[in-house]
Amino acid sequence: MANCKTLYREVAGWMRLRLRAKQLLLWKKQKRLIRRLRQVGVGGELQTMRMSAWCTSRSSYASLAISNGYLAELGLFDLTALETGVLPEVT
């Protein structure tokens, strides 16, 4: 488990994307996403997007509506906070 910081960061990022995608699927309609964006303070004209697409979870709107801080408040464990040690060299 030593020197796994990069792997943990990639896995944590993938989990957050997957959770965003699932939430977008649950909201089903863009009106719910727009309502959430208004709650977090996003103003102006918002573009439309497909709520059922995996690539939509990478959009900036999804990141604003379901931020990393919000996921942490819900109890998602942050893998990047794990301390990894360095194994001693074997001689």
Side-chain angles (χ1 to χ4, degrees):
M1 295 313 259
N3 304 329
C4 297
K5 202 84 165 156
T6 305
L7 178 65
Y8 287 160
R9 186 174 32 245
E10 290 173 3
V11 170
W14 182 87
M15 286 189 326
R16 287 190 301 268
L17 281 176
R18 191 69 187 149
L19 288 171
R20 285 185 185 113
K22 294 305 278 184
Q23 183 60 53
L24 289 173
L25 274 173
L26 290 174
W27 282 340
K28 294 182 183 177
K29 298 184 181 187
Q30 293 176 4
K31 289 193 315 188
R32 292 185 180 122
L33 173 63
I34 291 171
R35 184 182 318 138
R36 175 65 183 155
L37 287 169
R38 299 290 186 221
Q39 287 174 352
V40 296
V42 177
E45 188 67 27
L46 299 173
Q47 298 174 352
T48 59
M49 64 180 68
R50 296 182 313 187
M51 299 296 284
S52 61
W54 163 250
C55 61
T56 303
S57 64
R58 291 184 181 269
S59 73
S60 60
Y61 290 150
S63 295
L64 288 171
I66 310 162
S67 65
N68 293 347
Y70 177 72
L71 291 173
E73 287 175 15
L74 293 178
L76 179 66
F77 181 73
D78 186 16
L79 289 175
T80 59
L82 287 176
E83 290 295 324
T84 58
V86 178
L87 292 176
E89 291 187 26
V90 178
T91 58

